Amino acid sequence: MTAKLLILDDDHDILLMLKAIFAGEEYELLLESDSEGALKRVIADRPNVAIMDISLPQKSGIEVLKEAKKIDPGLAVIMATGYKTTQNAIEAMKHGAFDYVTKPFDMNKLKGAVKKALECNLLSRKVRYTKERAQVEEDLTEDLMIGSSPEMIEIWKMVGTVADSDATVLIQGESGTGKELLARAIYNNSRRKNRPFLAVNCAALPEALLESELFGHEKGAFTDAHSRRIGKFEQCNGGTIFLDEIGEMSLANQGKFLRVLESQEFERVGGNETIKVDVRIIAATNRSLLASVKEKSFRMDLFYRLRVVNFFLPPLRDRTEDIPLLVDLFVRKFAKKYGKNVKGVAPDTMALLMNHQFEGNIRELKNVINSAVVFCRGDILVPGDFESFLTAKAGFKEVDLEVVGDDYYEVFWSMLEPVFDGICAKNKGAIYESVNMGLEKALIHMAMEKSNNNQVFAAKLLGISRNTLRDRLERYRIGTGESS
């Protein structure tokens, strides 16, 4: 489909000049000389990129920018002016402009700006969820990285710039901000998108198991190593590997990982053969690696080697303008999942959500919407549907696992309290059995996922025998995948 470029300028000579300049490019040109006509074009034609003059007779270019971004938050707008004032530039960028150029135009720079703006727009259209339901083509069963706030636009611009390179990427951000989704957005827009993408949570596996998971092992390398295992780096040859919670990796594994970063080679555990691979590495952390370096729990050379390209994902409280988009997506997602006719949220519900801190970020918002959709009785979510989730005395995210030690009573109390009334209403007379079965199934399934469906590793992680694990896998009909 041909990309659409909207040009708004009340000077007809400039319109004709820009028409001639971009006529040789592969754009469908939409030329307008007044603001209302341009806004109608945004509604009707959905241009990818717009060049707008700041000085217009009816409305200022800034006003047109603001209205256009309300209609289509993903529209990449380049503001143009003959007045080189700092305030104009600040105002333009503050209200979501992609770039700011001055007259007389440097045509090569303008063409370059339009090309970058188009890349950003096409990227954001792949990964963001628009308000127009007829345009939604994404599979709602998948999680999407979305956002049209200024902070996210800058991230999309960075993604468009670095996706095609093989540079190592470090993503920093609080838990629940969508670090893996950003990693997938980078991968999906890279030259490696048709090659494997594998994710490993470094915090989920003990040191020895993580080493085997990443590098593989030879038969007899350790107890229960009954056959050779190919690790993630070998499986991912030619593709991209995502290492989540990289700050939890032991110093010993950090040294081996650094070698892979520098030379793209390693040995399997218990082996002597040097394996060479071609893998792009994206790492993520929710902690300060710089502080870990100072505490000597993270290698300084690895830290600087990882931080070739550095993304910082802002917490949800710093990009509240993205909440309506996220709410709309999650309502549709969970309404479809549970077969419910929930169409949206009431205005006072949206105000309640916009004012909530969401310390658990997008993950917390997603879980809150999930619970509200499950228990709501109408087709519009009202504040009452959220009271127990947003006003709970303690959330799961607030529990300090170091403090509770081995007694998880407080953890499970905080999880059950907000939804207990609903569980009672839904499972009269069978709460004990339902909750226990649900917890055991979730534990088994999660352990299998964290262990890449390896039964030996999953059984060790859970502290149960392999026979017990097999019994539970069969009982709960959980796919076993690899069984070695």
Side-chain angles (χ1 to χ4, degrees):
M1 193 171 80
T2 306
K4 297 177 183 179
L5 172 60
L6 169 65
I7 303 174
L8 169 61
D9 201 302
D10 62 326
D11 187 325
H12 286 273
D13 290 336
I14 288 180
L15 281 179
L16 292 174
M17 178 186 70
L18 293 178
K19 179 181 179 181
I21 291 297
F22 287 104
E25 308 287 331
E26 293 183 358
Y27 299 119
E28 179 184 339
L29 297 179
L30 311 172
L31 305 180
E32 291 293 336
S33 58
D34 71 273
S35 54
E36 292 304 323
L39 290 170
K40 287 176 182 175
R41 287 280 200 177
V42 174
I43 295 169
D45 296 301
R46 292 287 160 172
N48 302 86
V49 181
I51 302 172
M52 296 183 181
D53 188 27
I54 278 185
S55 300
L56 296 168
Q58 294 92 10
K59 293 181 179 178
S60 73
I62 298 292
E63 289 178 293
V64 180
L65 166 68
K66 288 194 281 188
E67 291 187 34
K69 295 293 280 186
K70 284 180 184 175
I71 297 166
D72 181 5
L75 174 65
V77 180
I78 298 169
M79 299 302 295
T81 182
Y83 305 99
K84 300 178 182 180
T85 66
T86 304
Q87 192 55 41
N88 273 343
I90 292 172
E91 282 294 305
M93 301 312 283
K94 187 169 74 175
H95 292 294
F98 177 85
D99 211 339
Y100 178 87
V101 296
T102 56
K103 300 176 183 177
F105 296 124
D106 178 324
M107 292 307 173
N108 287 330
K109 285 185 179 178
L110 183 60
K111 282 185 177 181
V114 170
K115 184 179 178 182
K116 286 181 180 178
L118 178 60
E119 288 173 356
C120 177
N121 174 268
L122 293 177
L123 171 61
S124 68
R125 286 192 178 186
K126 282 182 185 178
V127 295
R128 69 179 270 279
Y129 176 88
T130 58
K131 292 179 180 177
E132 291 67 38
R133 300 188 173 197
Q135 292 185 348
V136 176
E137 297 176 357
E138 292 92 350
D139 184 352
L140 290 175
T141 61
E142 296 181 1
D143 282 336
L144 302 168
M145 185 73 188
I146 66 173
S148 299
S149 61
E151 294 86 357
M152 292 309 296
I153 290 296
E154 287 305 310
I155 285 173
W156 299 142
K157 287 163 72 173
M158 268 187 75
V159 170
T161 302
V162 307
D164 263 343
S165 75
D166 287 329
T168 303
V169 175
L170 177 64
I171 303 172
Q172 300 183 78
E174 295 178 9
S175 291
T177 48
K179 295 186 288 294
E180 182 172 345
L181 295 180
L182 177 55
R184 289 184 182 274
I186 295 168
Y187 159 75
N188 286 330
N189 290 278
S190 73
R191 291 173 298 190
R192 296 174 181 256
K193 64 184 176 184
N194 295 319
R195 304 292 295 163
F197 177 95
L198 296 177
V200 179
N201 187 327
C202 299
L205 296 171
E207 180 180 348
L209 295 186
L210 178 61
E211 182 182 11
S212 175
E213 182 78 2
L214 294 177
F215 308 116
H217 63 250
E218 296 290 353
K219 181 178 179 179
F222 50 82
T223 307
D224 290 327
H226 302 301
S227 62
R228 171 186 282 178
R229 174 180 171 78
I230 302 301
K232 284 288 195 287
F233 277 108
E234 262 183 282
Q235 295 174 39
C236 209
N237 193 20
T240 302
I241 190 164
F242 172 63
L243 299 177
D244 198 8
E245 304 308 344
I246 190 74
E248 304 299 325
M249 186 181 283
S250 71
L251 285 168
N253 281 336
Q254 286 175 37
K256 294 171 184 174
F257 173 49
L258 179 61
R259 182 186 171 200
V260 180
L261 263 178
E262 292 177 335
S263 64
Q264 294 274 300
E265 58 185 36
F266 58 92
E267 289 86 37
R268 299 187 193 102
V269 178
N272 297 314
E273 179 190 358
T274 298
I275 314 291
K276 285 194 71 70
V277 290
D278 170 24
V279 177
R280 184 185 193 174
I281 293 164
I282 302 175
T285 180
N286 64 3
R287 57 193 288 187
S288 169
L289 289 187
L290 196 55
S292 298
V293 168
K294 291 176 182 175
E295 294 164 3
K296 301 194 183 302
S297 60
F298 200 84
R299 294 177 61 130
M300 182 182 291
D301 49 0
L302 178 56
F303 171 64
Y304 287 113
R305 187 67 181 78
L306 279 173
R307 210 177 60 161
V308 177
V309 176
N310 190 26
F311 284 87
F312 176 75
L313 265 179
L316 191 56
R317 60 184 172 275
D318 290 346
R319 55 181 185 104
T320 52
E321 53 265 70
D322 286 334
I323 288 178
L325 281 174
L326 290 159
V327 169
D328 197 24
L329 169 64
F330 293 145
V331 167
R332 284 176 55 75
K333 176 186 177 80
F334 293 118
K336 180 179 179 181
K337 179 177 179 179
Y338 300 120
K340 304 193 80 169
N341 188 34
V342 182
K343 298 173 183 175
V345 302
D348 48 353
T349 304
M350 185 62 76
L352 179 72
L353 295 170
M354 292 285 284
N355 290 322
H356 188 70
Q357 283 299 298
F358 288 109
E359 293 174 30
N361 294 298
I362 296 170
R363 185 180 295 128
E364 182 187 355
L365 174 62
K366 179 181 176 183
N367 290 338
V368 163
I369 298 292
N370 186 4
S371 299
V373 170
V374 167
F375 295 113
C376 78
R377 296 192 179 98
D379 59 357
I380 297 291
L381 297 179
V382 296
D385 293 319
F386 291 86
E387 282 176 7
S388 60
F389 314 118
L390 297 182
T391 61
K393 287 179 287 186
F396 180 67
K397 61 186 170 51
E398 296 168 337
V399 175
D400 188 338
L401 294 179
E402 295 297 323
V403 173
V404 288
D406 295 328
D407 182 0
Y408 293 109
Y409 165 82
E410 185 184 348
V411 175
F412 295 122
W413 178 279
S414 68
M415 291 171 64
L416 285 169
E417 184 183 32
V419 295
F420 192 67
D421 289 344
I423 292 174
C424 291
K426 192 177 179 183
N427 299 277
K428 290 177 181 175
I431 297 170
Y432 183 84
E433 183 181 354
S434 298
V435 172
N436 270 308
M437 285 181 63
L439 176 60
E440 185 176 48
K441 182 179 179 180
L443 268 175
I444 298 293
H445 198 175
M446 199 171 293
M448 287 295 289
E449 281 197 353
K450 297 298 183 187
S451 303
N452 195 33
N453 290 327
N454 185 293
Q455 291 182 17
V456 173
F457 288 175
K460 283 186 176 180
L461 189 64
L462 290 165
I464 61 176
S465 71
R466 194 168 174 188
N467 286 337
T468 301
L469 175 63
R470 282 174 170 163
D471 174 71
R472 299 303 188 272
L473 291 173
E474 187 176 340
R475 179 183 304 178
Y476 298 122
R477 297 180 182 178
I478 297 171
T480 58
E482 182 182 343
S483 59
S484 63

